[in-house]
Amino acid sequence: RGITWAKGMVRRLTEAEHAKENMVHALAVGNATIKAKSRVKVAVRTLTQAIAVCNDGNVTAGVQEARDMIEILQMIIAARDAIAEASAGAQNALRTRTGYRDAFQALNVSIHDGIIAGLHQEVEIAEEQLEKLEQFASADEALMKALARAPPARAAPNPIFKPDVGATVKFNR
C-alpha cells in the first residue's frame, strides 16, 4: 500500500512540476506579447491553457498573474478591434458622404482606448484618419454649400428707345 501511495505522489508531483513549467512558459509568452502587442490571441489561449493545467494539478502559483495578463491582453484585443471598426466606419462615411459625426466619435473613442492599451502605431494612424476625415467633411460641406448656390435671376432687359434722327448731310457737287 505504501508503494502505491508513493507512485501516486510521484505522479502528482510530476503533474505539479509540469504545470509550473507550463505556467512559467505561458507567463513569458504573455509578458512578451504585452510588450510587442502582436499575436495577442495566441497568448490568451496559451495563458488560459496554463491556468487549466495548473487547476488540474492543484497548483496556484502564477494563476492570478496569468488572469491579470489575460485581462490586459483582452483589453488590447478590444482596443485594436475598436480602432479597426472605427476606421471601417470612417471609410464608409467617406464613401457614402454621410455619418461623419458618428465616424468622428468612433475614432475618438477608439483612439482613447488605444492609448490606454498602448497601441501607439495604431493610434497614430487613427489620429491621422480622424484629422483627414475632419478636413474632408469640412471641404465636403463647403462644396455642398457652393454647389447649392445658384446665380440670381436676371431682370428682363429694359431697352431705351431714342427717336430716329434723319441725317443732315450736305453734298458739295
Side-chain angles (χ1 to χ4, degrees):
R1 192 172 131 115
I3 294 178
T4 306
W5 180 83
K7 286 181 181 179
M9 182 57 72
V10 167
R11 184 183 49 78
R12 285 193 299 273
L13 289 174
T14 303
E15 288 175 3
E17 183 64 26
H18 173 70
K20 288 178 188 178
E21 289 173 1
N22 195 16
M23 181 58 76
V24 167
H25 172 73
L27 291 174
V29 168
N31 278 328
T33 301
I34 288 172
K35 288 179 185 172
K37 310 287 191 269
S38 66
R39 299 182 54 102
V40 179
K41 291 180 181 178
V42 172
V44 169
R45 189 175 36 240
T46 303
L47 287 163
T48 303
Q49 290 170 350
I51 290 171
V53 170
C54 282
N55 287 339
D56 291 345
N58 289 328
V59 176
T60 60
V63 171
Q64 187 56 48
E65 188 176 349
R67 287 185 178 134
D68 293 342
M69 279 188 188
I70 288 172
E71 188 175 316
I72 292 168
L73 292 168
Q74 287 175 337
M75 180 179 64
I76 291 170
I77 291 169
R80 186 174 286 146
D81 289 348
I83 289 173
E85 187 176 326
S87 179
Q91 291 172 4
N92 187 44
L94 177 66
R95 186 174 39 76
T96 63
R97 293 191 175 193
T98 60
Y100 293 126
R101 299 255 185 256
D102 292 339
F104 296 154
Q105 184 178 7
L107 279 170
N108 274 324
V109 169
S110 69
I111 287 169
H112 180 320
D113 292 347
I115 289 170
I116 291 171
L119 299 173
H120 304 296
Q121 294 172 335
E122 291 87 344
V123 166
E124 184 180 326
I125 291 169
E127 285 174 337
E128 182 182 3
Q129 289 174 347
L130 176 62
E131 177 187 346
K132 299 302 181 189
L133 185 63
E134 286 173 341
Q135 290 172 357
F136 181 81
S138 177
D140 188 41
E141 183 180 341
L143 176 63
M144 290 305 206
K145 285 180 181 179
L147 293 176
R149 291 184 63 201
R154 300 282 181 176
N158 190 8
I160 300 174
F161 293 104
K162 295 198 175 195
D164 193 15
V165 180
T168 56
V169 179
K170 282 189 177 178
F171 288 107
N172 293 330
R173 289 192 192 176

